[in-house]
Amino acid sequence: MFLESIPERIDILDAHKRIEPYIHRTPLLHSLNLNEIFGTRLLFKCENFQKAGAFKSRGACNAVWSLDDEDLEYGVGTHSSGNHAQALARAAALRKSKAYVVMPRNAPSVKVAAVRSYGAEITFCEPMLSSREQTLHQVLDETGATEVHPYNNYTIIAGQATCAMEALQDSPGADIILAPVGGGGLLSGTALAAHYFSPTTKVIGCEPSGADDAYRSFREGKIQPSLTPKTIADGLLTSLGNRTFPIIREYVNDIVTVNEASIVKAMRLIWERMKLVVEPSAAVPLAAILEEKVNTKGKNVIIILSGGNIDLDKIPWIPKTT
Amino acid sequence: MFLESIPERIDILDAHKRIEPYIHRTPLLHSLNLNEIFGTRLLFKCENFQKAGAFKSRGACNAVWSLDDEDLEYGVGTHSSGNHAQALARAAALRKSKAYVVMPRNAPSVKVAAVRSYGAEITFCEPMLSSREQTLHQVLDETGATEVHPYNNYTIIAGQATCAMEALQDSPGADIILAPVGGGGLLSGTALAAHYFSPTTKVIGCEPSGADDAYRSFREGKIQPSLTPKTIADGLLTSLGNRTFPIIREYVNDIVTVNEASIVKAMRLIWERMKLVVEPSAAVPLAAILEEKVNTKGKNVIIILSGGNIDLDKIPWIPKTT
């Protein structure tokens, strides 16, 4: 079953062993050219190369392989329009179980197709959170499936922590590690990994100012909801959860926000100089460096490129034809 | 000085040793998803990650580091609107020499800026080949610079051969290696590398049908000029040379052509599934598999992703705004 308290060091090591056969150990890449531009040493952890195109496969695999056969008999379920849905669908399929995914009616058809390609059963709902949650509960009731929340789940957090753990193994003694923050699964996992495996490394969460609930929560010391989030970084629209926030509050050094133009500029820089396709959410940490919200001069900095799932018909710097 | 005959095995090994400090040993990446689509095992040699964004850095570094200080006193020169110009400019700058690059007046400003960023001196000319050659000779006369032809030069060919050599070291016994063909520097080098280091590996050149001079030359047994080439694969517009063609004729197993729609489709597949930014020329080999011009079913296939330098404002599958 799932972890019932904040992951310990051993839980992250266990998670890594558990998921290793099903995920990529993604490379840490760099660009001398970007280092020159920013006067720093940037190492990019390429989760855009991860299975199903995002770090979410780590948590999803850890969750699915933490369940025993009886738990899995009735499958797993979640609501998500994004990378977690794909990752969970893939993990369930690999374990010959079933995934039930509740997606909003307006989810991009490319994402619906991706989830379906892994054999998940999709139930559509209205796009509001209330409808998503209600529909999911109905699906879970009807099917008996086990809920796998995208981030507010310690087993998911332990899985996401393996990403920073690998990066810190490959680049010991990094000064700073930057991760985007949406619901906080990746950021809380990153903070735990740094705490256990590289305690001198500072952890900074990077968030679009159009969805700055984590920034506000961090400053006010209690969870602030994400009311009308609006950002191109579509992986970062969610609010923190009661399992991610306490970890972030304790182990994250700072949260900074960036504007939309910087996200697009940073994304383009990564495409152009690193030759990597990343989604807007993945570009948020570099945007923070662009905006000088984080002082990285002369430092060794790890940036988690969270994913590469983007609709290639919609490149944000290319004007839409009408 | 430059090699005066077809590179031997030792010349390629020497080239590799010579350029190793200045180039990346690029990874061979794969995608299970693409393997499933095509029923084959594809390994992509990522020269889009190469210094200056393309395999051209191999030949250019081999050429520049094959010259002695006296040769280099007056610099090196070439005409090119593309990746060779950037690669040569970079190599010359690293050896504290000077690069003179003749570029057509209509060269994209992004390419002019890239060449200039490495400190090369640019002379503009009319876009016809005759003007490019004439202007280059004038520049070479005035400066005393040594000409470094983009492909019709054995030292360049030996440098480009290191790419396939590395790939064949990393994936011994590959059944097929596919490379795009323009002037034939990469393809002739690839064929020599296979001949010396993996003689059972078949070498196939892949060319846009809109610039099919290598295909016609290969079939007719003598060099056919590239008269009015028209293709999105802007790295493949040139004709074969009298040094590349004999190698291709002897050591390449076949040359196949592909249409423009397949190139765009293949390029998009590489962006979408591999999360790699590659230029259209680099997608030509996968286009050949898409069109079933090469039988790769069940085989181990190496594809050389020749480069990643593309104007990100012009994505070929996105309609232009007017």
Side-chain angles (χ1 to χ4, degrees):
Chain A
M1 267 310 298
F2 296 149
L3 294 172
E4 283 172 2
S5 56
I6 293 181
E8 305 279 343
R9 181 190 168 92
I10 186 72
D11 296 320
I12 300 172
L13 291 167
D14 281 350
H16 198 242
K17 216 175 290 171
R18 189 177 292 121
I19 68 180
E20 221 172 5
Y22 314 106
I23 63 152
H24 288 305
R25 183 172 184 116
T26 55
L28 267 185
L29 299 182
H30 71 277
S31 152
L32 291 186
N33 182 284
L34 286 183
N35 287 351
E36 262 168 44
I37 293 175
F38 295 108
T40 177
R41 287 179 297 280
L42 303 175
L43 290 166
F44 294 86
K45 177 71 172 165
C46 293
E47 292 294 296
N48 60 322
F49 289 158
Q50 191 49 272
K51 291 287 183 182
F55 75 90
K56 295 279 188 182
S57 273
R58 296 175 181 270
C61 286
N62 196 39
V64 167
W65 270 272
S66 292
L67 295 170
D68 53 32
D69 290 347
E70 290 95 273
D71 294 329
L72 279 171
E73 195 179 339
Y74 303 102
V76 288
T78 197
H79 65 85
S80 160
S81 60
N83 291 334
H84 174 66
Q86 286 185 54
L88 187 66
R90 172 182 171 270
L94 280 177
R95 263 203 83 180
K96 316 265 183 241
S97 181
K98 180 106 196 156
Y100 300 93
V101 176
V102 172
M103 298 186 84
R105 256 173 235 299
N106 60 359
S109 58
V110 44
K111 297 206 167 176
V112 176
V115 172
R116 195 167 275 145
S117 77
Y118 291 112
E121 194 170 312
I122 300 172
T123 307
F124 291 99
C125 68
E126 297 310 313
M128 304 86 68
L129 184 62
S130 59
S131 165
R132 288 166 63 152
E133 286 178 343
Q134 201 189 326
T135 310
L136 176 61
H137 282 131
Q138 218 171 304
V139 168
L140 296 176
D141 280 350
E142 283 167 16
T143 59
T146 304
E147 182 181 1
V148 181
H149 193 279
Y151 53 87
N152 207 33
N153 172 317
Y154 293 126
T155 301
I156 290 285
I157 294 169
Q160 320 304 27
T162 62
C163 174
M165 189 189 82
E166 286 178 3
L168 290 164
Q169 284 172 346
D170 292 346
S171 175
D175 299 301
I176 306 175
I177 185 162
L178 300 177
V181 53
L186 179 65
L187 182 60
S188 61
T190 301
L192 288 176
H195 173 63
Y196 296 132
F197 305 108
S198 182
T200 61
T201 302
K202 286 203 166 127
V203 177
I204 296 174
C206 304
E207 194 176 39
S209 56
D212 66 348
D213 59 290
Y215 172 84
R216 288 183 288 111
S217 306
F218 191 75
R219 269 162 184 66
E220 301 190 18
K222 65 177 190 191
I223 298 179
Q224 306 294 314
S226 183
L227 288 177
T228 50
K230 197 172 160 5
T231 171
I232 189 181
D234 58 345
L236 308 180
L237 295 167
T238 43
S239 306
L240 296 179
N242 65 351
R243 291 188 171 88
T244 55
F245 179 59
I247 301 173
I248 289 170
R249 205 178 164 194
E250 178 144 8
Y251 298 112
V252 167
N253 295 83
D254 201 4
I255 294 182
V256 298
T257 61
V258 299
N259 65 46
E260 297 292 292
S262 305
I263 298 173
V264 174
K265 201 175 162 188
M267 180 176 152
R268 184 173 177 148
L269 266 177
I270 294 166
W271 287 40
E272 198 173 272
R273 308 301 166 107
M274 305 287 300
K275 312 299 179 189
L276 294 174
V277 172
V278 296
E279 57 190 70
S281 305
V284 170
L286 187 62
I289 297 180
L290 263 174
E291 287 192 22
E292 301 185 353
K293 292 288 179 72
V294 188
N295 178 12
T296 57
K297 286 272 178 285
K299 301 216 166 82
N300 293 308
V301 181
I302 295 170
I303 286 179
I304 299 182
L305 292 178
S306 48
N309 292 332
I310 179 174
D311 181 347
L312 288 174
D313 285 318
K314 292 173 188 154
I315 309 291
W317 54 80
I318 298 182
K320 282 182 195 75
T321 50
T322 44
Chain B
M1 267 312 297
F2 296 149
L3 294 172
E4 283 172 2
S5 56
I6 293 180
E8 306 278 344
R9 180 189 169 92
I10 185 73
D11 296 320
I12 300 173
L13 292 166
D14 281 349
H16 198 243
K17 216 174 293 171
R18 190 176 293 121
I19 67 180
E20 222 171 5
Y22 314 107
I23 63 153
H24 288 305
R25 183 172 185 117
T26 56
L28 267 184
L29 299 182
H30 70 277
S31 151
L32 291 186
N33 181 284
L34 286 183
N35 287 351
E36 261 168 43
I37 293 175
F38 295 108
T40 175
R41 288 179 296 281
L42 302 176
L43 290 165
F44 293 87
K45 176 71 172 165
C46 293
E47 292 294 297
N48 61 322
F49 289 158
Q50 191 49 271
K51 292 287 183 181
F55 75 90
K56 295 279 190 182
S57 272
R58 296 174 181 271
C61 286
N62 196 38
V64 166
W65 270 272
S66 291
L67 295 170
D68 52 32
D69 290 347
E70 290 96 274
D71 294 328
L72 279 170
E73 196 180 337
Y74 302 103
V76 289
T78 197
H79 65 83
S80 162
S81 59
N83 291 335
H84 174 65
Q86 287 185 54
L88 187 66
R90 172 182 172 270
L94 280 177
R95 264 205 80 181
K96 315 267 183 237
S97 181
K98 180 107 196 155
Y100 300 92
V101 176
V102 172
M103 297 185 85
R105 255 173 235 297
N106 59 358
S109 59
V110 44
K111 297 206 167 175
V112 175
V115 171
R116 195 167 273 146
S117 77
Y118 291 112
E121 194 170 312
I122 300 173
T123 307
F124 290 100
C125 68
E126 298 309 314
M128 304 86 70
L129 183 62
S130 59
S131 166
R132 289 166 64 153
E133 287 179 341
Q134 201 189 327
T135 310
L136 175 61
H137 281 132
Q138 219 171 307
V139 168
L140 296 176
D141 279 351
E142 283 166 14
T143 59
T146 304
E147 182 180 2
V148 181
H149 193 278
Y151 54 86
N152 207 33
N153 171 318
Y154 293 126
T155 300
I156 290 286
I157 294 169
Q160 320 304 29
T162 62
C163 174
M165 189 188 82
E166 287 178 2
L168 291 164
Q169 283 171 348
D170 292 346
S171 177
D175 299 302
I176 305 175
I177 186 163
L178 300 177
V181 52
L186 179 65
L187 182 59
S188 61
T190 301
L192 289 176
H195 172 63
Y196 295 132
F197 304 109
S198 182
T200 61
T201 303
K202 285 200 167 132
V203 177
I204 296 175
C206 304
E207 194 177 39
S209 56
D212 67 348
D213 58 292
Y215 172 84
R216 289 183 286 112
S217 305
F218 191 74
R219 268 159 185 69
E220 299 188 20
K222 65 178 191 190
I223 298 179
Q224 306 294 314
S226 183
L227 288 177
T228 50
K230 199 171 160 3
T231 171
I232 190 181
D234 59 346
L236 308 179
L237 295 166
T238 42
S239 306
L240 296 178
N242 65 351
R243 291 188 171 87
T244 55
F245 179 58
I247 300 172
I248 289 170
R249 205 179 163 193
E250 178 145 7
Y251 298 112
V252 168
N253 294 84
D254 201 4
I255 294 181
V256 299
T257 61
V258 299
N259 64 47
E260 297 292 292
S262 305
I263 298 173
V264 174
K265 200 174 163 190
M267 180 176 153
R268 184 173 178 148
L269 267 177
I270 295 166
W271 287 41
E272 198 172 272
R273 308 300 166 108
M274 306 286 300
K275 312 298 180 191
L276 295 174
V277 172
V278 296
E279 57 190 71
S281 306
V284 169
L286 187 62
I289 297 179
L290 263 175
E291 287 192 21
E292 301 185 353
K293 291 289 179 71
V294 188
N295 178 12
T296 57
K297 286 271 179 285
K299 301 216 166 80
N300 293 309
V301 181
I302 295 169
I303 285 179
I304 298 182
L305 292 178
S306 48
N309 293 331
I310 179 175
D311 182 347
L312 288 174
D313 285 317
K314 291 173 190 154
I315 309 291
W317 54 80
I318 298 182
K320 282 182 195 74
T321 49
T322 44

